[in-house]
Amino acid sequence: MVIENKLTKKLYRRLILRDLIFGSKSSLIILLLYVMLWRVLYSITKIGQLKTNIPIFLGISFLLLLTFIHIFVVYRKHVKKDSLIQVGSQIEINKTQLVIVSSTSTERYVFPLESLTIIKENKKWYFLYFQDKTFIPISKKTEHSLEQINEYFTIFKPIRQIFWKWTVILFSLFTIVGVYYVGSNAINFKGALAWKIFELKTETRVKLENDNFYTTKLSGIIDSVKAKMELEPYLMTNDLEIEFEQDGTITNIYTYIYGFDQNQKLQSGYLIYFDKTKSNKVKIHKQDWNGEGTTVYNPNNDLSIVINMLKWIPVKDEVKPWNEDNNAVLYKGIRDWKNPEGIRFIDEKGKIYIPSKADTETGPTISLYIPGKEDIIIPHRYVFAPFYRGE
């Protein structure tokens, strides 16, 4: 039986590549790794844990790369044999062998059918795989009986159905599901990715003009922020912590500042933090309230009070006797102290004195302490004396 070869080089190469990616054992490996990659990507965008997930992600990506390199090498080997498939050539089949007769020469390429390893088919093609790794597609568009061709092939091997479409469908399905779930982690603060996008959109970075806390104080930090962005006329905080080394070098800053307009309506919130081990710049995340926040401005808790108190407190002299590598100041708003130990008062002129028994130890308070040793070395608590309670 003689069959006209329906292949072109372009078609032959496309069929090889399609078979290697979607119809071989490699396709199962690719599919498995692809699903694992989406799973790890979902975990990264949902909960983060980058130290664990990034190495896994890179490992799976590397295995995928090796698989594709293997496919490419096999593809190149097949392509080098495309001289077997020439326009106008003929395929001769009998019960013992398959012969490809060149249209441009007298060359004949003989393949014993007993060397067949696998025979696959779809609606349009038979795909013959030989022991020497030769891949030969034969079109079903022929004037000869397909039953007769089937008979020649099945003498040696059963014909299997090839499921390229199902593999493509699975890849498409996993892609849609993966994009949906990973995408959902990027919106409405449902995952770590959404928070990271929010940070990138709202983050401003500021380099401190002076990173020595003894000289720059809180006022220098706020001035650096103001040089980068405009702040509201009324500022308030009840959460401030600054850590610094024995020589005064600032190592950590964490504070949240509320910004109120002229009518004392909450307009913005500023999360300000700094970690010397990660960056040399202060990070600021602005949150817009647009007058709809529930936090009420309290003049007794104005940021200026904290700034002035830190100007008046002789921080360097106070921490020197401790001789510790790491020191810190802490402000948590207006506090009521039951234990007078370590309490000091600061009046409106910056004078520091020990309170009498008649004094009420309540007011805006700055604590100077050694992180991790609060129970060993008593912190110094500085209470702003002109505290107005209001009605």
Side-chain angles (χ1 to χ4, degrees), residues 173-312:
L173 179 63
F174 286 124
T175 300
I176 293 171
V177 173
V179 168
Y180 172 78
Y181 281 102
V182 170
S184 67
N185 290 335
I187 59 175
N188 297 329
F189 302 103
K190 291 183 178 179
L193 179 60
W195 284 103
K196 190 62 180 178
I197 292 173
F198 174 75
E199 287 181 4
L200 293 174
K201 289 172 63 177
T202 62
E203 182 179 273
T204 301
R205 297 192 176 198
V206 177
K207 186 174 182 179
L208 289 175
E209 295 298 327
N210 182 356
D211 67 349
N212 189 295
F213 184 64
Y214 297 147
T215 55
T216 194
K217 307 287 186 177
L218 178 58
S219 59
I221 297 172
I222 299 301
D223 287 343
S224 295
V225 174
K226 287 182 177 180
K228 194 73 174 182
M229 58 198 309
E230 185 177 356
L231 303 181
E232 285 76 9
Y234 293 97
L235 302 175
M236 186 181 78
T237 184
N238 52 20
D239 194 357
L240 167 72
E241 185 172 12
I242 301 173
E243 294 185 18
F244 53 94
E245 296 173 350
Q246 189 175 11
D247 64 357
T249 302
I250 299 172
T251 56
N252 286 279
I253 300 172
Y254 180 89
T255 184
Y256 190 88
I257 296 175
Y258 298 94
F260 299 84
D261 62 14
Q262 293 287 355
N263 299 318
Q264 298 182 357
K265 295 291 185 180
L266 180 60
Q267 296 298 322
S268 306
Y270 304 90
L271 176 62
I272 303 172
Y273 61 96
F274 169 74
D275 186 342
K276 183 184 176 184
T277 62
K278 296 180 179 180
S279 174
N280 63 348
K281 292 186 177 181
V282 176
K283 296 181 180 180
I284 308 157
H285 289 287
K286 183 180 179 181
Q287 183 178 13
D288 294 320
W289 290 102
N290 300 318
E292 297 179 357
T294 57
T295 302
V296 178
Y297 174 71
N298 183 352
N300 299 296
N301 208 21
D302 193 273
L303 183 65
S304 62
I305 296 175
V306 188
I307 291 175
N308 289 330
M309 289 176 70
L310 284 172
K311 282 183 180 179
W312 297 327

Side-chain angles (χ1 to χ4, degrees), residues 43 124 184 254 281 314 319 326 329 335 381:
S43 181
K124 296 181 179 180
S184 67
Y254 180 89
K281 292 186 177 181
V319 301
N326 193 29
V329 293
R335 304 181 70 178
R381 320 283 191 186

Side-chain angles (χ1 to χ4, degrees), residues 344-385:
R344 293 162 170 77
F345 271 19
I346 301 181
D347 64 18
E348 64 272 18
K349 295 182 179 181
K351 181 181 178 181
I352 300 174
Y353 60 95
I354 304 297
S356 66
K357 291 183 179 180
D359 291 322
T360 302
E361 294 155 358
T362 300
T365 304
I366 291 176
S367 298
L368 179 60
Y369 69 103
I370 302 169
K373 293 187 177 181
E374 296 91 331
D375 296 334
I376 301 173
I377 300 176
I378 298 173
H380 293 178
R381 320 283 191 186
Y382 298 89
V383 181
F384 189 54

Side-chain angles (χ1 to χ4, degrees), residues 315-347:
V315 176
K316 184 177 182 179
D317 295 335
E318 292 286 270
V319 301
K320 188 175 182 180
W322 291 343
N323 195 29
E324 293 288 337
D325 294 333
N326 193 29
N327 304 279
V329 293
L330 177 72
Y331 180 76
K332 289 291 184 180
I334 299 169
R335 304 181 70 178
D336 186 5
W337 299 97
K338 304 299 182 183
N339 185 355
E341 193 173 15
I343 298 293
R344 293 162 170 77
F345 271 19
I346 301 181
D347 64 18

